[in-house]
Amino acid sequence: MKKRIIITIAILLVFIFGVASYFFVCGGNPQIENFDAVSGDYKIIANAAMKYYNALSYKAERRTLILYDGHMEVSNSINPLVDRAVINLNEEEKSAIKTVNEEFSYGYLWVTDDYVIFWEDETKYYGLIYSENPLSTIWDIKSDWYEGMEYHRINSNWYEIGAFGR
């Protein structure tokens, strides 16, 4: 009898964990409804931001960039006299900014050489992360400053992060 109870509890836990994993990590629908159609534009902007970050001679932990209509600009750098910059973009990147600004009208990015986070606004309630190793980045962010952050897998390089209230 004990064996059956233990097996039943184990099966229930596996089922509950599977359902929770589906909704919190890899399932459900992204908040950006047409992400497959616009992901190329997001990747163009992420790559442009990382290219800028990698070209800097002085690298802080991360840079905050603001997207405008035709350019990106460093917003609150550690050394604004040295690092303040306007990043001019090519026509493809300018077009991609328009797509990104439809969802993220504030155009607020965190950039490092490993990842880019598109934040909805400065409250960091909702974001979209691009990284070659997004789960590692998510765990770092959770341990450093945003313990209650939830995440949702869109594909292998893109995750939604924030406070979804699920």
Side-chain angles (χ1 to χ4, degrees):
M1 186 67 174
K2 277 186 177 182
K3 210 175 201 182
R4 284 186 180 179
I5 292 173
I6 291 173
I7 290 173
T8 303
I9 289 172
I11 290 171
L12 284 173
L13 288 175
V14 167
F15 176 75
I16 290 169
F17 179 73
V19 170
S21 295
Y22 176 79
F23 285 106
F24 284 106
V25 178
C26 57
N29 295 316
Q31 184 168 317
I32 300 174
E33 293 177 14
N34 63 341
F35 189 74
D36 287 340
V38 297
S39 63
D41 287 335
Y42 281 85
K43 188 171 182 178
I44 288 169
I45 297 304
N47 286 333
M50 286 190 288
K51 183 174 76 175
Y52 160 77
Y53 181 87
N54 287 323
L56 292 173
S57 58
Y58 171 75
K59 294 184 181 179
E61 183 179 333
R62 70 175 167 260
R63 292 283 189 258
T64 301
L65 300 180
I66 304 291
L67 298 180
Y68 293 99
D69 216 8
H71 67 280
M72 286 189 284
E73 188 174 306
V74 176
S75 170
N76 60 348
S77 169
I78 290 174
N79 190 346
L81 296 176
V82 174
D83 293 331
R84 179 142 181 92
V86 171
I87 304 134
N88 293 315
L89 304 173
N90 63 36
E91 292 305 314
E92 180 183 44
E93 293 162 341
K94 288 178 186 178
S95 175
I97 280 182
K98 291 177 184 172
T99 302
V100 171
N101 280 340
E102 287 177 15
E103 183 70 29
F104 295 92
S105 58
Y106 187 61
Y108 181 75
L109 306 178
W110 277 4
V111 182
T112 73
D113 56 350
D114 295 330
Y115 67 86
V116 173
I117 301 176
F118 296 82
W119 288 112
E120 187 172 55
D121 58 32
E122 68 278 358
T123 64
K124 299 171 194 72
Y125 184 75
Y126 172 76
L128 184 65
I129 189 168
Y130 172 74
S131 174
E132 291 297 318
N133 192 359
L135 285 176
S136 174
T137 302
I138 287 169
W139 293 124
D140 289 346
I141 291 169
K142 284 179 73 113
S143 66
D144 290 346
W145 65 272
Y146 195 178
E147 188 177 310
M149 180 181 73
E150 299 173 45
Y151 56 96
H152 173 259
R153 182 180 190 268
I154 297 173
N155 63 38
S156 61
N157 298 110
W158 292 97
Y159 278 70
E160 289 179 311
I161 58 175
F164 304 129
R166 294 182 185 174

